Amino acid sequence: MKLHTLPLHALLFSQAFALVPPAAIPQHGQHPVHERTSSTASLLSLHKDLVEIESITGNENGVGKYLIQYLEAQNFTVETQDVGSATNASRQNILAYLGSKRETRVLISSHIDVVPPYWPYERRGDEIWGRGTVDAKGSVATQITAVEELLAEDKICPGDIALLFVVGEEKGGDGMIKANDLGLKWEAVIFGEPTELKLASGHKGIMGVTLRAHGKAAHSGYPELGKSANEMLISGLYALLHTDLPWSEKYGNTTLNIGRIEGGVAANVIPEDASASLALRIADGEPTDLAEILLKALNTTGEVFNSTFQYGYGPIDIDADVPGNITLEMSMDIVTNTFSGFETIVVNYGTDIPNLKGDHKKYLYGPGSILVAHSDHEHLNVSDLVDAVKGYKLLIEHALA
Ligand SMILES: *[C@@H]1O[C@H](CO)[C@@H](O)[C@H](O)[C@H]1NC(C)=O
Ligand SMILES: *[C@@H]1O[C@H](CO)[C@@H](O)[C@H](O)[C@H]1NC(C)=O
Ligand SMILES: *[C@@H]1O[C@H](CO)[C@@H](O)[C@H](O)[C@H]1NC(C)=O
Ligand SMILES: *[C@@H]1O[C@H](CO)[C@@H](O)[C@H](O)[C@H]1NC(C)=O
Ligand SMILES: *[C@@H]1O[C@H](CO)[C@@H](O)[C@H](O)[C@H]1NC(C)=O
Ligand SMILES: *[C@@H]1O[C@H](CO)[C@@H](O)[C@H](O)[C@H]1NC(C)=O
Ligand SMILES: *[C@@H]1O[C@H](CO)[C@@H](O)[C@H](O)[C@H]1NC(C)=O
Ligand SMILES: [Zn+2]
């Protein structure tokens, strides 16, 4: 979120207070500064608790239990939805709402699973490091805090919002797919993923391909007696890399990643089998169109391949129609500023957005950068979390307006 017209001193002030530990705050009166500070402290503590519970996809049970307790303590009505198999029996989506109003106008959602490996929570000055600090526990903590603040300010009531935290986003989206069985629909859904506090106006599509080549094994001294599956695969991959893939002004180029190659058994054996796993990020058109282009390219090699496609989805347009000028009342009451609108961004990663059916408006927003998510240096700034709470509040109020 960009606070174009916020004076620098106000930003510094807000930062400074964000860093005061709660114990140092004199507890008297209803002064807004205290409110701000204690709410930042509870935001950071919620974020820390969430990150400290490892929740690599498949193992979301612990963090789910924590969230249920937390939300119940905040007087939300909490429903759970089992997602999973015998081995993963207790993985659950969590739906929280106010009172008995399960059907709400707006849904606020993110995911509670993270990618491996686990990196513990670590505070380094103004920065918070660790797995999930960005993707997506930064979103989860700030979404909850935004709702808590709107409640405290009497700006929402039962029937306005529900929170949905799903499992499995990082591995196929089984959680969000299951959420379609909740039997609910909404006017708008606000999805939380790292967007650098910008409002995403769309994300690329995705498709997976497995390419298999089958040749004939032989002694490497007599290659004429065999057929190298590795060489077949190399020519296929070369053809794919040199094919023009669809592009668009909005999303740029469709990109192809050869993520994994396997083939052969030993240096002195003509390889019989080889395979490659590919992920494509689609900038234009549907996966089926792209599959045809790839098959055509493979055909030019003259080799026969066994290609299987995991059709994902084409590019996803997301609503970014939040008006430019909104009056932003800082909770510190120092100033009432004009917020000149969200910057927008187009992202190249997939989300749960296409997994949730319905004709709701869709928003995608959250703290932190995808460029560090999934890495061994996943981290964000404390101020990103504080600003994300403001951003979510604006989005929720806009969606309810
Ligand atoms: C649990 O479920 C996830 C996602 O469906 C899966 O990837 C993982 O392998 C499962 N874990 C076990 C132990 O079955
Ligand atoms: C939850 O509700 C109880 C009973 O109405 C009330 O005493 C408590 O203050 C509420 N807690 C919060 C966090 O609103
Ligand atoms: C898209 O691909 C074209 C042709 O390969 C290349 O010239 C261009 O730089 C690419 N654009 C981006 C944004 O990567
Ligand atoms: C390539 O396409 C042509 C025309 O459809 C077909 O006859 C031929 O068998 C294909 N070749 C391979 C290797 O798939
Ligand atoms: C293609 O590969 C899949 C997965 O290994 C296999 O099930 C299928 O039988 C193969 N098809 C052909 C024609 O070889
Ligand atoms: C927002 O307000 C500023 C100053 O009041 C004005 O200059 C700007 O054009 C407005 N932007 C939009 C998108 O309305
Ligand atoms: C955190 O804030 C500092 C100072 O504003 C900035 O230089 C740095 O890039 C920020 N880090 C992240 C991860 O955004
Ligand atoms: Zn994510």
Side-chain angles (χ1 to χ4, degrees):
M1 185 176 69
K2 203 167 175 189
L3 300 167
H4 294 283
T5 56
L6 191 61
L8 185 61
H9 75 266
L11 271 174
L12 294 174
F13 195 53
S14 123
Q15 280 259 23
F17 273 89
L19 299 172
V20 176
I25 304 157
Q27 297 296 311
H28 58 81
Q30 288 288 300
H31 195 278
V33 170
H34 296 163
E35 233 172 68
R36 173 88 227 126
T37 315
S38 75
S39 120
T40 301
S42 63
L43 165 65
L44 295 185
S45 129
L46 171 60
H47 181 247
K48 179 170 192 272
D49 288 348
L50 291 171
V51 173
E52 282 184 338
I53 306 170
E54 180 261 289
S55 59
I56 293 167
T57 314
N59 189 37
E60 298 95 334
N61 191 18
V63 82
K65 279 201 172 124
Y66 171 87
L67 262 186
I68 293 165
Q69 270 176 9
Y70 180 94
L71 292 165
E72 280 177 347
Q74 300 294 319
N75 290 341
F76 286 95
T77 306
V78 179
E79 257 181 50
T80 58
Q81 186 185 33
D82 284 332
V83 184
S85 52
T87 42
N88 279 341
S90 40
R91 301 169 71 226
Q92 293 175 324
N93 287 339
I94 296 167
L95 179 73
Y97 46 89
L98 306 169
S100 56
K101 294 282 184 124
R102 175 171 200 272
E103 292 183 17
T104 59
R105 293 181 53 205
V106 172
L107 182 72
I108 301 144
S109 182
S110 190
H111 62 91
I112 55 175
D113 64 318
V114 298
V115 295
Y118 178 69
W119 303 103
Y121 180 98
E122 192 190 330
R123 182 73 185 260
R124 298 189 194 169
D126 288 352
E127 294 179 348
I128 304 172
W129 290 60
R131 174 65 75 229
T133 49
V134 172
D135 190 3
K137 290 168 175 175
S139 290
V140 174
T142 52
Q143 288 179 332
I144 294 173
T145 304
V147 169
E148 287 172 4
E149 289 190 9
L150 289 171
L151 271 172
E153 293 159 15
D154 261 334
K155 287 184 173 154
I156 51 175
C157 56
D160 282 345
I161 61 97
L163 290 157
L164 173 68
F165 298 115
V166 300
V167 298
E169 191 274 341
E170 298 289 3
K171 227 175 164 185
D174 58 352
M176 191 59 94
I177 290 167
K178 183 80 180 191
N180 290 299
D181 298 345
L182 288 168
L184 292 170
K185 55 185 193 315
W186 305 272
E187 290 168 35
V189 181
I190 299 168
F191 293 86
E193 289 284 358
T195 65
E196 302 169 6
L197 302 171
K198 296 170 189 170
L199 200 52
S201 63
H203 68 71
K204 281 185 176 173
I206 186 162
M207 181 171 79
V209 185
T210 307
L211 194 62
R212 293 181 192 82
H214 184 68
K216 187 165 182 283
H219 189 288
S220 63
Y222 302 89
E224 67 278 12
L225 298 181
K227 182 170 171 63
S228 167
N230 282 349
E231 288 178 18
M232 292 167 68
L233 190 71
I234 289 167
S235 74
L237 294 176
Y238 183 89
L240 295 183
L241 287 174
H242 291 84
T243 299
D244 284 333
L245 300 176
W247 64 278
S248 61
E249 288 292 341
K250 181 168 176 180
Y251 295 101
N253 292 336
T254 295
T255 57
L256 182 158
N257 177 49
I258 303 170
R260 189 177 161 85
I261 294 179
E262 277 182 296
V265 288
N268 57 359
V269 179
I270 305 291
E272 182 164 26
D273 288 294
S275 69
S277 306
L278 281 50
L280 290 105
R281 302 289 172 166
I282 308 174
D284 192 41
E286 291 306 312
T288 45
D289 306 330
L290 184 55
E292 274 193 33
I293 294 170
L294 301 182
L295 286 171
K296 250 190 205 153
L298 290 172
N299 181 286
T300 63
T301 65
E303 304 286 6
V304 178
F305 294 96
N306 175 357
S307 341
T308 43
F309 296 92
Q310 294 94 46
Y311 297 105
Y313 45 82
I316 303 289
D317 287 328
I318 307 172
D319 298 286
D321 63 344
V322 179
N325 285 337
I326 311 170
T327 300
L328 173 65
E329 294 191 31
M330 301 294 293
S331 25
M332 282 161 76
D333 268 2
I334 297 175
V335 277
T336 296
N337 272 288
T338 300
F339 166 61
S340 325
F342 291 93
E343 274 188 82
T344 60
I345 186 176
V346 169
V347 296
N348 295 345
Y349 55 85
T351 69
D352 259 340
I353 294 177
N355 290 330
L356 186 63
K357 305 302 169 204
D359 57 4
H360 44 260
K361 265 190 172 310
K362 308 167 184 74
Y363 296 103
L364 178 62
Y365 174 84
S369 167
I370 195 65
L371 302 180
V372 296
H374 295 209
S375 77
D376 62 358
H377 51 280
E378 180 168 355
H379 68 285
L380 45 58
N381 278 333
V382 168
S383 62
D384 295 332
L385 294 176
V386 173
D387 287 345
V389 172
K390 296 174 199 154
Y392 279 125
K393 287 170 76 176
L394 285 169
L395 281 176
I396 295 166
E397 291 198 85
H398 171 74
L400 288 168

